[in-house]
Amino acid sequence: AIYGPFSWQNDMQNVAIAQDGQKEAIEHAGRTGGLPFVGTGWYRNKVNVPNLADGERVTLKFDGAMSHARVYVNGKEAGYWPYGYNSFFFDVTDLVNPGEENLIAVRLENLPESSRWYPGAGLYRNVHMIITDGAHIPMWGTYITTPEVSKEWARVEVATEVVLPSGADESKYELRTTIYSPEGRELKSVSSRLIDLAYNDSTVNQTFIVRKPELWSPDSPRLYSAKSELVERNTVKDTYNTTFGIRSIEIRPDDGFYLNGEKTVFKGVCNHHDLGPLGAAVNDAAIRRQIRMLKDMGCNAIRTSHNMPAPEFVRACDEMGMMVMAESFD
């Protein structure tokens, strides 16, 4: 998709563009940049999987794969995911051969007329293999909110999903969550026994009070962190880290948007996921260069047009002080 050649015939579309007032379909060329991204591509990689302890699970996570991804492990299909922009994962424990070399294959296909901008192609974002204990915090298993915020104190609510092996005695487990300051200083730690998980959506809710919080804003993007540890009889079975900002958000009718009690005007842009001539492949340095240039222009917000962005983009915006509206789809 990136080697060319450019051609006005690539992804020729016979459509009527309603926004332009067109009533009948006509030929349109070059709407996707002229690169030959339509078609099928295969990726194959041999990966050594370590020997697994009893109950350990293996997960493959894709930050994005363009598109109609079919994932195979040692010749057997692990799963199918059609949308190219959002992250997805498959549990491949039953398909891997522990202690051996494993073949992972991914088939991707961009269909004609599937986009009206350059979507990129292939594995343009990172892929991760994650090994967890049978007792673990699942993918994206934490949800942190700051429902009450002032300059004097803030309430931080941490909801953590927990997965235990089938038949496990939950009374033997506890969830220990520790909050750290932006400088990495431990502020407070809370331990909760697991009680009636099945009746609480497998979720443990914990509350923290942070005194004199350093509030997140575009001018001062201060980030706290939460370390969640799932413990069985003093043995840590899984650790999950989450960064978050303490801030309040309010929409006042006929007035506007308030961040931390201060009226804040969005000075934003709509930003496609590709990086100009560098293409669609995720590049942390280039992403941060884009955000730095936008900040220098006076921007404080980005709408991701028209899809979910790479995790690296979200992390960079958090750290550099950029508000984000993550658009799910066009």
Side-chain angles (χ1 to χ4, degrees), residues 10-163:
N10 289 331
D11 197 30
M12 178 67 73
Q13 300 186 18
N14 191 48
V15 296
I17 302 177
Q19 302 98 306
D20 294 347
Q22 297 175 2
K23 303 296 184 183
E24 297 181 359
I26 59 176
E27 285 190 343
H28 293 275
R31 303 184 76 208
T32 54
L35 283 169
F37 67 89
V38 173
T40 301
W42 280 90
Y43 290 76
R44 293 179 179 84
N45 195 14
K46 292 180 179 179
V47 178
N48 289 311
V49 177
N51 288 312
L52 301 176
D54 186 41
E56 286 190 325
R57 311 299 299 178
V58 182
T59 299
L60 276 180
K61 179 167 77 80
F62 293 78
D63 289 344
M66 190 64 68
S67 56
H68 293 279
R70 292 193 180 275
V71 180
Y72 301 87
V73 177
N74 295 322
K76 296 182 179 179
E77 185 168 350
Y80 167 68
W81 195 264
Y83 192 41
Y85 288 104
N86 67 325
S87 302
F88 61 94
F89 61 90
F90 300 121
D91 187 320
V92 297
T93 307
D94 296 336
L95 302 179
V96 299
N97 298 317
E100 300 179 14
E101 190 175 70
N102 291 256
L103 177 63
I104 299 174
V106 182
R107 182 189 188 275
L108 298 164
E109 182 177 14
N110 271 344
L111 300 175
E113 299 188 10
S114 61
S115 181
R116 60 184 176 85
W117 60 83
Y118 177 62
L123 290 177
Y124 70 112
R125 293 179 183 168
N126 287 312
V127 184
H128 315 263
M129 175 175 282
I130 302 165
I131 298 176
T132 58
D133 190 88
H136 63 277
I137 298 165
M139 198 76 62
W140 312 315
T142 57
Y143 184 64
I144 300 179
T145 55
T146 56
E148 295 183 72
V149 174
S150 71
K151 293 181 180 179
E152 299 302 318
W153 64 277
R155 185 186 307 278
V156 178
E157 302 282 356
V158 183
T160 306
E161 186 179 353
V162 174
V163 174

Side-chain angles (χ1 to χ4, degrees), residues 102-277:
N102 291 256
L103 177 63
I104 299 174
V106 182
R107 182 189 188 275
L108 298 164
E109 182 177 14
N110 271 344
L111 300 175
E113 299 188 10
S114 61
S115 181
R116 60 184 176 85
W117 60 83
Y118 177 62
L123 290 177
Y124 70 112
R125 293 179 183 168
N126 287 312
V127 184
H128 315 263
M129 175 175 282
I130 302 165
I131 298 176
T132 58
D133 190 88
H136 63 277
I137 298 165
M139 198 76 62
W140 312 315
T142 57
Y143 184 64
I144 300 179
T145 55
T146 56
E148 295 183 72
V149 174
S150 71
K151 293 181 180 179
E152 299 302 318
W153 64 277
R155 185 186 307 278
V156 178
E157 302 282 356
V158 183
T160 306
E161 186 179 353
V162 174
V163 174
L164 299 181
S166 178
D169 182 358
E170 63 182 33
S171 66
K172 298 178 181 179
Y173 294 85
E174 65 177 347
L175 179 70
R176 183 170 61 226
T177 303
T178 306
I179 300 292
Y180 294 89
S181 73
E183 292 77 25
R185 178 169 52 88
E186 181 177 328
L187 298 180
K188 190 175 182 180
S189 185
V190 171
S191 294
S192 302
R193 289 286 178 185
L194 306 191
I195 301 174
D196 295 330
L197 277 180
Y199 302 100
N200 292 287
D201 296 325
S202 300
T203 299
V204 179
N205 295 289
Q206 298 170 313
T207 300
F208 297 82
I209 300 299
V210 177
R211 309 286 180 184
K212 301 288 184 180
E214 300 180 63
L215 304 185
W216 187 98
S217 71
D219 293 330
S220 181
R222 305 294 283 163
L223 290 173
Y224 290 75
S225 63
K227 181 171 73 172
S228 306
E229 297 174 295
L230 184 57
V231 181
E232 180 189 18
R233 290 180 172 175
N234 299 320
T235 299
V236 176
K237 308 299 286 187
D238 193 21
T239 301
Y240 197 97
N241 294 297
T242 311
T243 57
F244 65 96
I246 296 178
R247 77 287 180 273
S248 67
I249 289 175
E250 184 183 3
I251 307 290
R252 298 183 186 178
D254 302 317
D255 188 2
F257 172 79
Y258 281 75
L259 177 67
N260 301 327
E262 297 182 6
K263 187 170 182 176
T264 303
V265 176
F266 294 119
K267 301 172 184 177
V269 297
C270 301
N271 199 34
H272 281 235
H273 79 294
D274 66 274
L275 296 163

